Amino acid sequence: MQVIPAIDLRDGACVQLVGGSYAEERVRIADPVAVAREWTRLGFTRIHLVDLDAATGRGSNRETVREILEVTPASVQCGGGVRDLDTIDELLSAGASEVVLGTRAVEDRAWLEDAVARYPDRIIVAADTSARRLLSRGWSQSSSRDVIDFVDDLKPLPLAAVLVTAVEREGRMEGPDVKLMGEITARLNTPLQASGGVRDIGDIRELAAAGASAAIVGMALYTGALNPQTIIEEMSAWA
């Protein structure tokens, strides 16, 4: 089980939103590069980096992404608005360990298969969900498709991981959707990264027991509800 700090970029800053809503920004740190350095200094070996502006069509934080990739020795999985092969190639060439695909992976199966064939084991598919329905376009569009059905269709693909975010729990620190994550890991032959709602070390242990390979954590770390040293010690015990 791995714990991965999230760095969400908005207007050049590191932020944390509640429920995926731009109107509910709870945390803002002006220097995301310093944040990446600090997570690495504390002992985290992987970072989840998302360009929220690119994901929602509001702009781009590409230069900040590049700078973070340059300065941190941690593995960095990058996502947010990645909807063409050139961007995947650009991110991997810049040093991303994996690229996270959301909207186009959900909407265009042929393109997803092409991307995975070109970059096997370097693609993470993000299955963002609310009430078990798939979301896309920066969490602004909901489909009628069940997240379980979508994940089932990913089984034949050589993915690095599947990332499932319970969006309605994002930033609320009310506990993750352990039941959903357990159902998915029981059906999935690819590592599952779980996101949304983590508030304490007990939640991380529950996700590990449910079969998740990693938990992506944001608000609990940034607000101090979860002590980074406690996580590092716990991960060392699991190693």
Side-chain angles (χ1 to χ4, degrees), residues 150-183:
F150 176 69
V151 167
D152 278 345
D153 288 343
L154 298 176
K155 289 180 183 178
L157 302 179
L159 300 171
V162 174
L163 164 59
V164 177
T165 298
V167 174
E168 70 272 23
R169 297 175 184 243
E170 273 287 288
R172 301 189 188 281
M173 292 192 297
E174 295 173 350
D177 194 338
V178 177
K179 183 174 185 294
L180 174 63
M181 303 305 172
E183 288 180 30

Side-chain angles (χ1 to χ4, degrees), residues 95-169:
S97 54
E98 297 86 19
V99 175
V100 182
L101 304 180
T103 294
R104 193 163 181 191
V106 170
E107 298 176 351
D108 189 342
R109 174 69 182 210
W111 179 81
L112 173 60
E113 291 180 357
D114 187 15
V116 175
R118 291 176 187 240
Y119 309 102
D121 303 313
R122 304 293 300 277
I123 299 296
I124 297 172
V125 172
D128 299 330
T129 179
S130 180
R132 301 201 173 204
R133 299 298 178 186
L134 274 177
L135 303 178
S136 61
R137 303 285 166 179
W139 301 342
S140 65
Q141 291 186 16
S142 176
S143 78
S144 60
R145 193 172 188 192
D146 190 285
V147 67
I148 297 283
D149 294 336
F150 176 69
V151 167
D152 278 345
D153 288 343
L154 298 176
K155 289 180 183 178
L157 302 179
L159 300 171
V162 174
L163 164 59
V164 177
T165 298
V167 174
E168 70 272 23
R169 297 175 184 243

Side-chain angles (χ1 to χ4, degrees), residues 54-57 80-85 87-88 101 103-104 111 136-138:
T56 57
V82 182
R83 291 165 193 164
D84 59 68
L85 297 175
T87 303
I88 297 174
L101 304 180
T103 294
R104 193 163 181 191
W111 179 81
S136 61
R137 303 285 166 179

Side-chain angles (χ1 to χ4, degrees), residues 16-27:
Q16 287 291 291
L17 308 180
V18 177
S21 170
Y22 260 54
E24 290 194 59
E25 181 181 294
R26 194 67 54 85
V27 171

